[in-house]
Amino acid sequence: MTIHLPQGPYEPRTTPLDLGRGGSPLASRTVFSAAHVVADPYADISPDSPAAVDWDATLAFRRHLWSHGLGVAEAMDTAQRGMGLDWAGAAELIRRSAAEAKSVGGRIACGVGTDQLTGPATLAEVRAAYEEQLALVEESGAQAILMASRALAAAAKGPEDYLETYAHLLRQASEPVVLHWLGPMFDPALDGYWGSSDLDTATATFLKVIAEHPDKVDGIKISLLDAEREIDVRRRLPGGVRCYTGDDFNYPELIAGDDQGFSHALLGIFDPLGPLAAHAVRVLDTGDTQGFRDLLDPTVELSRHLFQAPTRFYKTGVVFLAWLAGHQDHFTMVGGLQSARSLPHLAKAYELADRLGLFPDPELAESRMRALLAVNGGTR
């Protein structure tokens, strides 16, 4: 039955894409999905209150990702770090998710940042904040992801401050970490990270950190939406250091790779694409690169739509699709971020996801889309 979306009439699918469940462990690539948090819609809070999280639904979504063989990248940008989820909430999320991962045998890595700092900070205070979070993540038994820090970006005077800060942290880490370079399209406060707004200069500093501590760096995650730069950096990494793509615009080609290497994955778009992404990597495990691309290339249009500028609000579309897919019972986000995208944007996300067959129950997704249209004034 036709649904009248803001962009025009659309005939929804009646059957989902048949991918099966689970399967053999992913072999040729290490793949993490950066997972969203589920808000508690019945919490009586204000926009200034700490986040109210529905822990049961949040952990259930992580079990969903693990059941398909994906790793979970926890307490990252997709979980609304600094956009609704404060450090106290992130710390609780890390503890609970790490315990859940241990109980089900799931792989987990967790974000380490400095978001407990609420105002201007010295470099010493930045290091101490990083150390506090690193200790919690390591105590939980999870791998650490050293995230880019707004406080460090504000306090650092140049590349040397980044080199000294990261050298100190890497000496503190008990196990190899993932270094995360998050671009200003995801967080404007990170402009000029690594001591320069010139990307070539910043890249040189980033690579110097890795070259001086290769034994403490498991890999890097680059989120700059620049495939050529990622490939260039990937080819310059020391042996044994992985590149985890964070490029939600060009991930199929970067994961597929070329005759000089490939990227692993740590992606926010693999939150809604989880089962399909895992299936595609299993196809790649057989050596069928074209089959892998045939599965993932059609998803890029949806990803580019969700991550369109202002990119930092992609989380709204991710949670919206989780609601339509039945992974949660409401479209409410911590910090009220459900209001960050327009109705036409969400309607287009529904159409693109439905065309891909991403919804396990297309009728449920259609019903919820109709309800959203109705509550926003109906259709024209």
Side-chain angles (χ1 to χ4, degrees), residues 19-33 64-71 255 265 269-286 292 295-296 299 358:
L19 298 173
R21 186 173 181 85
S24 58
L26 307 187
S28 62
R29 305 290 188 272
T30 300
V31 182
F32 290 96
S33 166
H64 155 72
L65 295 172
W66 285 318
S67 75
H68 289 281
L70 300 169
I255 297 170
I269 191 56
F270 281 5
D271 180 302
L273 293 184
L276 176 56
H279 179 72
V281 173
R282 288 189 176 92
V283 171
L284 186 60
D285 288 345
T286 69
F292 167 82
L295 284 164
L296 272 198
T299 69
L358 294 184

Side-chain angles (χ1 to χ4, degrees), residues 39-98:
D40 178 357
Y42 291 106
D44 186 12
I45 58 174
S46 72
D48 296 330
S49 302
V53 177
D54 181 336
W55 293 113
D56 289 342
T58 294
L59 295 176
F61 187 76
R62 281 136 183 79
R63 290 193 297 271
H64 155 72
L65 295 172
W66 285 318
S67 75
H68 289 281
L70 300 169
V72 168
E74 188 57 277
M76 300 288 290
D77 185 61
T78 306
Q80 294 182 241
R81 289 288 292 268
M83 290 185 71
L85 190 70
D86 62 11
W87 167 236
E92 184 68 12
L93 178 64
I94 289 166
R95 293 187 190 97
R96 288 175 181 259
S97 291

Side-chain angles (χ1 to χ4, degrees), residues 225-247:
L225 305 182
D226 183 339
E228 290 184 5
R229 183 164 299 276
E230 177 173 322
I231 292 169
D232 174 65
V233 172
R234 185 173 77 194
R235 291 174 178 173
R236 295 162 66 185
L237 291 174
V241 177
R242 305 178 189 185
C243 180
Y244 294 93
T245 187
D247 189 331

Side-chain angles (χ1 to χ4, degrees), residues 11-226:
E11 294 289 337
R13 288 179 63 128
T14 58
T15 57
L17 190 63
D18 184 14
L19 298 173
R21 186 173 181 85
S24 58
L26 307 187
S28 62
R29 305 290 188 272
T30 300
V31 182
F32 290 96
S33 166
H36 73 280
V37 294
V38 183
D40 178 357
Y42 291 106
D44 186 12
I45 58 174
S46 72
D48 296 330
S49 302
V53 177
D54 181 336
W55 293 113
D56 289 342
T58 294
L59 295 176
F61 187 76
R62 281 136 183 79
R63 290 193 297 271
H64 155 72
L65 295 172
W66 285 318
S67 75
H68 289 281
L70 300 169
V72 168
E74 188 57 277
M76 300 288 290
D77 185 61
T78 306
Q80 294 182 241
R81 289 288 292 268
M83 290 185 71
L85 190 70
D86 62 11
W87 167 236
E92 184 68 12
L93 178 64
I94 289 166
R95 293 187 190 97
R96 288 175 181 259
S97 291
E100 194 74 14
K102 186 176 182 179
S103 72
V104 302
R107 183 165 187 167
I108 188 168
C110 299
V112 170
T114 63
D115 45 332
Q116 67 269 57
L117 299 172
T118 57
T122 66
L123 288 173
E125 290 169 334
V126 170
R127 288 195 298 270
Y130 263 128
E131 288 175 337
E132 177 190 356
Q133 296 199 16
L134 177 61
L136 185 145
V137 169
E138 291 189 333
E139 288 167 6
S140 76
Q143 184 178 14
I145 303 170
L146 291 186
M147 301 193 299
S149 161
R150 293 175 181 174
L152 179 56
K157 303 302 182 185
E160 287 302 320
D161 287 339
Y162 287 89
L163 291 170
E164 291 175 7
T165 299
Y166 277 89
H168 177 83
L169 294 171
L170 290 171
R171 286 193 296 269
Q172 296 292 314
S174 60
E175 300 291 340
V177 307
V178 176
L179 296 181
H180 186 192
W181 184 358
L182 190 69
M185 67 287 294
F186 289 94
D187 187 344
L190 299 176
D191 187 35
Y193 211 74
W194 303 110
S196 177
S197 294
D198 178 81
L199 287 180
D200 290 337
T201 303
T203 297
T205 302
F206 182 53
L207 287 170
K208 188 174 181 180
V209 169
I210 301 162
E212 292 179 352
H213 308 276
D215 59 321
K216 286 297 187 76
V217 181
D218 163 71
I220 63 169
K221 169 175 160 57
I222 304 178
S223 299
L224 297 176
L225 305 182
D226 183 339

